[in-house]
Amino acid sequence: MTQLEEARKGIITEEMEFISEREGIDAEKLRRNVAKGHTVIFRNVRHDWVKPVAVGKGVRVKVNANIGTSRDIVDVKAEIEKAKVAVKYGADTIMDLSTGGDLDEIRRTIMHAVDVPIGTVPIYQAAEEMLAKGKAIIEMTEEDMWKAVEKHFRDGVDYTTIHVGVTKEVVEKMKRTKRTVGMVSRGGTFLAAWILHWGEENPFYKDYDYLLELAKEYDVVLSLGDGLRPGGLPDAGDELQMAELYTLGRLVRRAREAGVQTMVEGPGHVPIDQIAAQVKLAKVATDNAPFYVLGPIVTDIFPGYDHITAAIGGAIAALNGADFLCYVTPAEHLGLPDVEHVRQGVIAAKIAAHAVNLTRFEADFRKDYLMALARGKLNWARQYELSMDKERFIEIRKERPTKTEACSMCGDLCAIKLINDMLAGERE
């Protein structure tokens, strides 16, 4: 049985117990939220070494980090290092988006390199296998697509992005709808091009019941992809995005009826004043399915700083109900991220998630309370101990001037400590 089915029978699974203890939450409340489909648990039945993670209502906002090779750069060791660095700095899951090299071996190697849940986009592999044969991506057969999905499920991936909302009807709308940026989802683009070429329905939509059967067998969480997410601020909230969203809402309900765990992916690029409304609309349209957002990125004119633009959007999205933040690195829109980009992207996303989590969980707020106490007493050792990025803490502290080199700075700090000690009645 899936986690959803067991929860509906009143069973608190081992995974629920683990998550309850790890997050400091009530196991019975978690079970009820899983039973409703408002929370999902990542843990493929074949991925027995993974530490399960919950996303959705009643649990902390989580962060995902994307890694993966490209056709031009196939360095598996580098991707393993990225995965480990991402987990070190707080990524709750890793998505392997590799498109170059031996994709099966890369995926399996990454899965064994870390103990967090792994997500993938199977259509990427189906497409790359066509290119490897010297064929066009649109020459994929339905069988090619399904083989990729089954292979990923059997390998133990915990959640997969399936662009099931890119339907023939929506693709027809694309012909009549003007967009500034167009379609930016890689997987969504593959399927849209396939539909246009063959004049056939999206196989994942047409045979959705079969997709549910496969997901149920392995208890894979279906992440219903936003193939029509806005790739620029002018496209946010347009007809195409909304049409796909309401399709995904219907598919969420069908998945729940089948006992399959499901979440929904969200935008992309959204003006800051639209984020709250878009998140709340998505929650209504999908009956409170866990909502997984990329960013959202709140401005388009800061390439090189999109980890920051995404963190701003992510914090607002999470505050208004988003459950899962996909990190964005400084290399977004520019190229393949390196290890340092991954570190910066994870930290930015963790800041956004923690800023919201501390308003919901007393334990999270207490960390900030203790840091405030340490700062008030200029207790550098304690500040270091509480810091989320200790390497950066040391790096900055080493750069500070000494007391003799900058007595005015030190004097200011000493004055701060002095007045605080006086107010606390601790002056000697």
Side-chain angles (χ1 to χ4, degrees):
M1 289 192 294
T2 65
Q3 296 287 328
L4 175 56
E5 290 176 310
E6 298 214 63
R8 284 177 175 168
K9 291 188 174 183
I11 299 170
I12 295 176
T13 65
E14 290 182 8
E15 290 80 7
M16 294 176 203
E17 290 281 8
F18 176 84
I19 291 165
S20 169
E21 183 176 344
R22 190 176 192 181
E23 296 214 18
I25 58 176
D26 182 71
E28 174 57 24
K29 288 183 179 178
L30 174 62
R31 182 200 65 77
R32 290 199 297 267
N33 286 328
V34 172
K36 294 175 183 176
H38 297 170
T39 304
V40 296
I41 293 176
F42 298 146
R43 205 269 188 183
N44 185 312
V45 295
R46 285 179 173 258
H47 198 177
D48 54 11
W49 63 93
V50 73
K51 293 180 180 177
V53 167
V55 167
K57 184 177 180 180
V59 297
R60 287 171 175 78
V61 177
K62 302 302 192 304
V63 168
N64 170 68
N66 293 337
I67 64 168
T69 61
S70 69
R71 299 197 80 207
D72 296 324
I73 304 175
V74 181
D75 186 341
V76 180
K77 289 184 179 179
E79 298 310 314
I80 294 300
E81 185 181 2
K82 290 177 189 178
K84 290 181 176 180
V85 165
V87 172
K88 174 182 177 180
Y89 287 99
D92 300 287
T93 73
I94 297 292
M95 284 200 85
D96 171 28
L97 306 184
S98 293
T99 56
D102 185 338
L103 300 184
D104 292 331
E105 182 61 27
I106 291 169
R107 179 174 60 257
R108 293 162 187 163
T109 301
I110 290 172
M111 289 184 68
H112 282 89
V114 293
D115 60 2
V116 300
I118 301 295
T120 60
V121 187
I123 195 71
Y124 287 5
Q125 181 159 5
E128 290 304 314
E129 288 176 351
M130 286 295 102
L131 295 176
K133 296 175 182 177
K135 297 182 178 181
I137 291 174
I138 55 174
E139 293 184 72
M140 286 186 293
T141 65
E142 294 187 21
E143 184 180 2
D144 292 327
M145 299 183 205
W146 287 114
K147 279 184 177 179
V149 171
E150 292 179 44
K151 185 183 294 186
H152 285 222
F153 286 12
R154 284 197 308 270
D155 276 355
V157 299
D158 304 286
Y159 65 102
T160 54
T161 294
I162 307 288
H163 298 91
V164 69
V166 180
T167 65
K168 190 175 179 181
E169 179 183 0
V170 170
V171 170
E172 286 298 316
K173 286 180 184 291
M174 289 174 61
K175 298 178 183 179
R176 305 188 301 270
T177 304
K178 184 178 180 180
R179 270 193 162 187
T180 302
V181 182
M183 196 171 189
V184 298
S185 162
R186 179 186 290 168
T189 301
F190 294 163
L191 285 164
W194 189 91
I195 291 168
L196 285 170
H197 178 75
W198 296 104
E200 299 290 337
E201 183 56 272
N202 179 343
F204 300 129
Y205 180 77
K206 182 183 67 173
D207 296 316
Y208 188 59
D209 288 337
Y210 180 56
L211 177 62
L212 295 179
E213 287 179 23
L214 291 175
K216 184 174 181 179
E217 180 179 354
Y218 299 97
D219 201 3
V220 174
V221 175
L222 293 180
S223 185
L224 304 186
D226 51 345
L228 290 156
R229 66 178 178 270
L233 298 187
D235 297 331
D238 71 358
E239 177 185 3
L240 298 177
Q241 181 190 348
M242 293 300 110
E244 181 182 41
L245 174 62
Y246 283 108
T247 296
L248 298 183
R250 293 194 299 272
L251 296 175
V252 164
R253 288 183 276 277
R254 283 177 59 184
R256 288 175 180 171
E257 290 171 2
V260 174
Q261 299 189 91
T262 316
M263 65 182 181
V264 171
E265 297 183 11
H269 295 237
V270 181
I272 199 167
D273 61 336
Q274 293 183 27
I275 294 174
Q278 286 217 20
V279 172
K280 291 174 182 177
L281 176 60
K283 282 289 186 175
V284 171
T286 65
D287 188 22
N288 290 307
F291 198 38
Y292 177 26
V293 295
L294 177 68
I297 289 173
V298 297
T299 174
D300 291 331
I301 63 170
F302 285 89
Y305 298 91
D306 279 321
H307 58 311
I308 297 173
T309 67
I312 293 169
I316 296 170
L319 187 64
N320 286 278
D323 307 285
F324 195 22
L325 306 182
C326 186
Y327 87 157
V328 173
T329 76
E332 185 78 7
H333 304 111
L334 300 175
L336 198 68
D338 60 23
V339 172
E340 176 58 19
H341 294 146
V342 168
R343 185 185 74 87
Q344 291 181 31
V346 170
I347 289 172
K350 286 297 286 188
I351 290 171
H354 178 70
V356 176
N357 287 334
L358 69 84
T359 69
R360 301 176 183 175
F361 294 91
E362 184 178 347
D364 290 34
F365 180 79
R366 180 162 178 77
K367 296 175 184 177
D368 288 71
Y369 170 73
L370 293 174
M371 178 64 90
L373 288 179
R375 283 182 176 154
K377 295 179 179 180
L378 297 182
N379 185 338
W380 297 107
R382 182 60 168 152
Q383 289 179 60
Y384 168 80
E385 182 183 328
L386 293 166
S387 176
M388 293 295 290
D389 185 350
K390 293 178 172 56
E391 289 87 351
R392 184 63 171 158
F393 184 98
I394 292 173
E395 179 184 343
I396 297 296
R397 281 292 292 165
K398 282 183 177 179
E399 293 174 356
R400 74 180 182 87
T402 64
K403 181 175 181 180
T404 56
E405 292 172 335
C407 58
S408 61
M409 177 188 292
C410 183
D412 290 342
L413 293 176
C414 289
I416 292 171
K417 187 174 188 305
L418 176 63
I419 189 64
N420 285 333
D421 286 349
M422 289 176 66
L423 291 171
E426 295 177 0
R427 186 179 183 188
E428 295 180 1

